[in-house]
């Protein structure tokens, strides 16, 4: 059961014997399982053979990263044979690859119920819990597997790593104290005397300010895999902190009649693809404004380079360069998916903490010409939410697990009417009628959101009123998708789409700085 191999079951018999004491396995996850009955089995051997064929087709599709098609095959297998733990576990893995953690968790639970002795069911459930930041629940499953397989080094490693995470988070809570929050500028007074070494030949701020030449030098410096001096990195963070604290939760943007305006989606630490956007569409300027719609960091291993580039342009063009918070601008996501590790490796853990504070002040959404609302995730579980409700959100916090702020960062559209539970396990899913009602109430033409990989880098849904844009091509070096950005003009708010392919980058793999357990999950 090595984590270095794709964990797909090839035959219905593999690892399918119940372990001693497995009937109580669900206690580790908090509930005693229901034993599978024969009533849900295949009607005949022909049904079982057909189910196995669907499963094998799903396995092949999973290997070629066609996750949606793989899920369809596993679903057909489950329809014919609903008591197979293997089918649920494999479908759970496909959902994990699509970051549909809520669905993955449901299938992990179903796998354990179908066969309490099938240990990969516990792994799937643990992986989903980990991805949702529910480490204690994941630890219960890792502990159970480690006890069942005391000589399995891989099982012991996963249990040990998860234990470390749980203890670390408990320690962080224990040492946290309530005290008046200092601005970074106040904290930076202790850092102003940082010396610049004689051998440093990188970009330098001019009189403490970002200039266009500094930004050009910085991007070339980063392309050469060099680091910005920590003195200037801290200064940029202090300036951004001061600026963002004065911004509202919903920022209004006015685009003049003939002015082009560009909206980009997730970047996820893919610095060289970010540079490609600027090559295709031009550098940011007062004549070429941009909005980047969250998830600047994590997964990609050049997140530090991305975020300092984006923060630098924000300081250079504060009224023509905009940044929205995504669900990955949060401490839970950063600790799991690599950004905290990357900042600590390239700078210090203190700087990682500073980023957490800065991210808390990022605006949650933007409204363009009073007609286009741009947010990272999506719409709400409540009717009658107005733009003024959004303006009043107190955002200086970690994203909550429910409410308007949570849903702005996490929700997704669905094809069918109404609302439904989130496939991610956080936020909601909203249908065309919800989008239409929200736009009508707030006198909007349409919404733009990001948050989801799309084959062409964008998707138009809900009768043109819900547009997704995703700007990280070949996401995580595995998905094969294109990236995209959207352009509009002030006198013509019709969206124009530009798709682009991934460009080469240095041989540093995605998630290189993530916790080893999260690398297994990825």
């Amino acid at each position: 059961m090595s984590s270095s191999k794709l964990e797909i079951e090839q035959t219905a018999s593999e690892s399918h014997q119940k372990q001693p004491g497995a009937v109580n396995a669900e206690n580790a996850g908090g509930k005693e399982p229901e034993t599978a009955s024969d009533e849900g089995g295949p009607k005949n051997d022909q049904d079982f053979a057909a189910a196995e064929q669907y499963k094998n087709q799903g396995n092949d599709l999973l290997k070629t990263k066609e996750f949606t098609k793989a899920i369809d095959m596993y679903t057909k297998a489950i329809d014919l044979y609903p008591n197979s733990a293997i089918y649920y576990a494999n479908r759970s893995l496909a959902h994990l690859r699509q970051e549909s953690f809520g669905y993955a968790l449901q299938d992990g639970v179903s796998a354990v119920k179908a066969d309490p002795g099938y240990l990969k069911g516990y792994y799937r459930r643990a992986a989903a819990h980990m991805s949702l930041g529910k480490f204690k629940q994941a630890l219960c499953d890792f502990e159970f597997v480690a006890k069942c397989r005391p000589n399995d080094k891989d099982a012991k490693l996963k249990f040990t790593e998860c234990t470390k995470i749980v203890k670390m988070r408990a320690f962080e809570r224990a040492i946290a104290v309530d005290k008046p929050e200092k601005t970074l500028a106040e904290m930076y007074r202790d850092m102003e005397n940082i010396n610049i070494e004689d051998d440093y030949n990188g970009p330098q701020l001019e009189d403490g300010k970002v200039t266009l030449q500094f930004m050009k030098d910085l991007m070339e410096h980063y392309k050469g895999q060099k680091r910005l001096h920590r003195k200037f990195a801290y200064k940029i963070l202090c300036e951004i902190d001061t600026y963002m604290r004065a911004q509202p939760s919903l920022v209004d943007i006015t685009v003049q009649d003939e002015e082009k305006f560009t909206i980009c989606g997730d970047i996820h630490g893919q610095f060289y693809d970010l540079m490609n956007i600027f090559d295709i569409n031009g550098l940011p300027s007062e004549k070429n404004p941009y909005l980047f719609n969250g998830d600047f960091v994590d997964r990609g291993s050049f997140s530090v380079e991305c975020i300092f580039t984006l923060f630098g342009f924000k300081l250079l063009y504060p009224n023509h360069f905009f940044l929205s918070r995504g669900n990955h601008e949060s401490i839970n996501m950063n600790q799991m998916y690599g950004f905290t590790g990357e900042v600590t490796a390239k700078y210090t853990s203190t700087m990682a903490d500073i980023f957490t504070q800065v991210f808390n002040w990022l605006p949650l959404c933007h409204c363009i010409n009073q007609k286009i609302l741009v947010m990272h995730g999506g719409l709400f579980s409540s009717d009658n939410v107005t733009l003024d409700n959004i303006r009043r959100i107190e955002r200086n916090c970690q994203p909550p697990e429910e409410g308007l702020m949570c849903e702005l960062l996490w929700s997704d559209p669905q094809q069918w009417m109404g609302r439904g539970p989130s496939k991610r396990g956080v936020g909601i899913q909203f249908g065309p009628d919800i989008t239409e009602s929200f736009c009508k109430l707030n006198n909007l033409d349409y919404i733009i959101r990001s948050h989801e990989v799309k084959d062409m880098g964008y998707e138009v849904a809900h009768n043109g009123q819900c547009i997704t844009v995703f700007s990280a091509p070949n996401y995580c070096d595995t998905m094969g998708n294109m990236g995209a950005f959207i352009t509009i003009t002030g006198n013509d708010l019709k969206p124009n789409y530009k798709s682009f392919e991934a460009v080469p980058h240095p041989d540093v793999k995605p998630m290189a700085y993530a916790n080893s357990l999260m690398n297994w999950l990825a």
Side-chain angles (χ1 to χ4, degrees):
M1 206 185 303
S2 171
S3 60
S4 63
K5 297 180 181 178
L6 187 65
E7 293 187 17
I8 308 172
E9 292 294 346
Q10 296 294 334
T11 63
S13 59
E14 183 179 341
S15 301
H16 202 52
Q17 301 299 316
K18 286 183 171 58
Q19 303 291 328
V23 172
N24 293 321
E26 192 75 4
N27 289 339
K31 184 179 177 183
E32 190 167 326
E34 297 176 14
T35 306
S37 69
D38 293 336
E39 295 177 5
K43 299 180 179 66
N44 50 51
D45 291 342
Q46 190 173 9
D47 284 344
F48 178 73
E52 282 292 284
Q53 282 190 338
Y54 285 131
K55 180 207 70 177
N56 292 335
Q57 291 176 42
N59 292 350
D60 292 339
L61 290 164
L62 194 59
K63 290 176 182 177
T64 57
K65 301 179 177 63
E66 298 177 83
F67 302 122
T68 300
K69 292 179 180 178
I71 289 167
D72 289 342
M73 291 298 105
Y74 295 137
T75 300
K76 290 179 179 179
I78 289 168
D79 288 343
L80 289 171
Y81 189 15
N83 279 342
S84 170
I86 293 172
Y87 300 167
Y88 288 112
N90 287 8
R91 190 170 70 176
S92 179
L93 180 59
H95 283 309
L96 284 168
R97 294 295 180 262
Q98 286 196 319
E99 301 185 11
S100 298
F101 304 131
Y103 289 169
L105 179 58
Q106 291 175 13
D107 279 342
V109 171
S110 295
V112 170
K113 287 184 176 180
D115 184 352
Y118 180 62
L119 297 184
K120 284 187 181 178
Y122 296 92
Y123 272 153
R124 298 292 181 259
R125 188 169 67 179
H129 274 137
M130 284 283 293
S131 299
L132 290 166
K134 300 181 182 299
F135 300 105
K136 285 187 177 180
Q137 292 92 323
L139 182 61
C140 291
D141 284 334
F142 286 134
E143 181 180 22
F144 175 75
V145 176
K147 287 180 178 178
C148 287
R149 298 230 175 138
N151 297 321
D152 188 324
K153 293 182 179 179
D154 190 53
K156 185 177 180 180
L157 176 63
K158 291 179 173 66
F159 171 62
T160 301
E161 288 299 318
C162 191
T163 300
K164 289 179 183 178
I165 294 173
V166 171
K167 288 183 177 179
M168 178 189 71
R169 295 171 79 84
F171 176 73
E172 289 173 347
R173 288 193 299 271
I175 64 174
V177 294
D178 293 328
K179 58 183 178 181
E181 181 183 340
K182 290 184 178 180
T183 66
L184 293 188
E186 292 171 326
M187 295 169 61
Y188 185 73
R189 289 172 188 158
D190 299 329
M191 305 175 186
E192 286 180 337
N193 296 322
I194 293 175
N195 291 323
I196 299 174
E197 294 78 7
D198 292 339
D199 60 351
Y200 177 73
N201 60 0
Q204 300 195 30
L205 297 173
E206 298 180 21
D207 296 324
K209 300 297 181 183
V210 173
T211 64
L212 179 57
Q213 188 60 51
F214 171 84
M215 290 306 303
K216 290 180 178 179
D217 292 345
L218 179 65
M219 290 183 287
E220 290 302 314
H221 196 67
Y222 280 156
K223 289 175 186 178
Q225 300 186 69
K226 300 175 183 178
R227 295 177 192 170
L228 177 66
H229 196 280
R230 64 190 184 281
K231 181 182 182 75
F232 306 123
Y234 280 121
K235 181 64 174 176
I236 286 173
L237 286 172
C238 291
E239 294 295 320
I240 279 289
D241 179 67
T242 299
Y243 181 88
M244 290 301 182
R245 285 169 180 267
Q247 298 306 296
S249 292
L250 190 162
V251 175
D252 289 292
I253 300 172
T254 299
V255 181
Q256 301 300 324
D257 282 352
E258 301 299 327
E259 185 180 69
K260 182 183 81 169
F261 189 87
T262 302
I263 302 105
C264 298
D266 303 43
I267 297 297
H268 276 300
Q270 297 184 198
F271 173 74
Y272 295 87
D273 294 309
L274 173 61
M275 293 298 96
N276 190 38
I277 292 174
F278 293 155
D279 288 341
I280 295 168
N281 196 55
L283 286 177
S285 71
E286 292 180 352
K287 299 294 184 182
N288 192 28
Y290 280 82
L291 164 59
F292 282 84
N293 196 28
D295 281 14
F296 319 121
V297 301
D298 279 338
R299 295 193 179 272
S301 294
F302 303 95
S303 293
V304 165
E305 291 79 0
C306 285
I307 196 63
F308 277 120
T309 299
L310 295 173
F311 279 175
F313 275 120
K314 180 61 182 175
L315 293 175
L316 182 59
Y317 303 118
N319 298 318
H320 297 85
F321 193 88
F322 302 92
L323 301 170
S324 276
R325 190 175 189 176
N327 62 299
H328 274 266
E329 278 70 60
S330 65
I331 190 170
N332 275 353
M333 295 293 106
N334 295 163
Q335 288 179 344
M336 288 192 293
Y337 293 104
F339 183 60
T340 296
E342 182 182 343
V343 175
T344 301
K346 294 179 178 179
Y347 290 100
T348 65
S349 59
T350 298
M351 185 178 287
D353 294 338
I354 288 174
F355 270 109
T356 297
Q357 181 170 324
V358 171
F359 287 162
N360 281 354
W361 287 106
L362 289 173
L364 301 178
C365 54
H366 294 75
C367 190
I368 302 172
N369 287 11
Q370 300 180 320
K371 288 297 181 182
I372 306 169
L373 188 67
V374 186
M375 79 288 283
H376 182 73
L379 297 182
F380 311 103
S381 55
S382 302
D383 292 325
N384 302 319
V385 174
T386 66
L387 299 188
D388 282 340
N389 294 140
I390 299 172
R391 295 182 209 279
R392 290 193 290 267
I393 295 174
E394 295 289 339
R395 71 185 187 278
N396 180 26
C397 62
Q398 289 303 297
E401 294 188 2
E402 60 183 9
L404 298 186
M405 181 174 172
C406 168
E407 290 158 359
L408 280 169
L409 301 180
W410 279 97
S411 291
D412 295 295
Q414 63 184 21
Q415 296 178 352
W416 48 94
M417 297 293 186
R419 296 181 175 91
S422 171
K423 62 187 177 184
R424 301 175 189 269
V426 188
I428 65 155
Q429 293 183 188
F430 58 96
D433 55 327
I434 304 301
T435 303
E436 180 182 10
S437 176
F438 177 80
C439 288
K440 183 177 180 180
L441 175 66
N442 290 286
N443 197 27
L444 299 170
D445 290 349
Y446 57 92
I447 65 171
I448 296 176
R449 41 90 62 183
S450 301
H451 197 39
E452 286 185 289
V453 178
K454 299 298 178 184
D455 288 342
M456 294 301 295
Y458 71 92
E459 181 181 75
V460 182
H462 296 184
N463 304 310
Q465 288 191 299
C466 180
I467 299 168
T468 298
V469 60
F470 190 88
S471 302
N474 194 26
Y475 180 47
C476 293
D477 286 356
T478 61
M479 297 299 288
N481 61 290
M482 299 186 79
F485 55 82
I486 297 170
T487 59
I488 59 170
T489 57
N491 58 353
D492 181 7
L493 298 179
K494 177 183 177 182
N496 301 288
Y497 308 100
K498 174 64 178 178
S499 297
F500 57 92
E501 295 183 345
V503 297
H505 64 75
D507 188 21
V508 183
K509 302 300 183 186
M511 300 282 284
Y513 299 96
N515 179 278
S516 59
L517 186 54
M518 294 310 301
N519 270 312
W520 167 70
L521 296 181

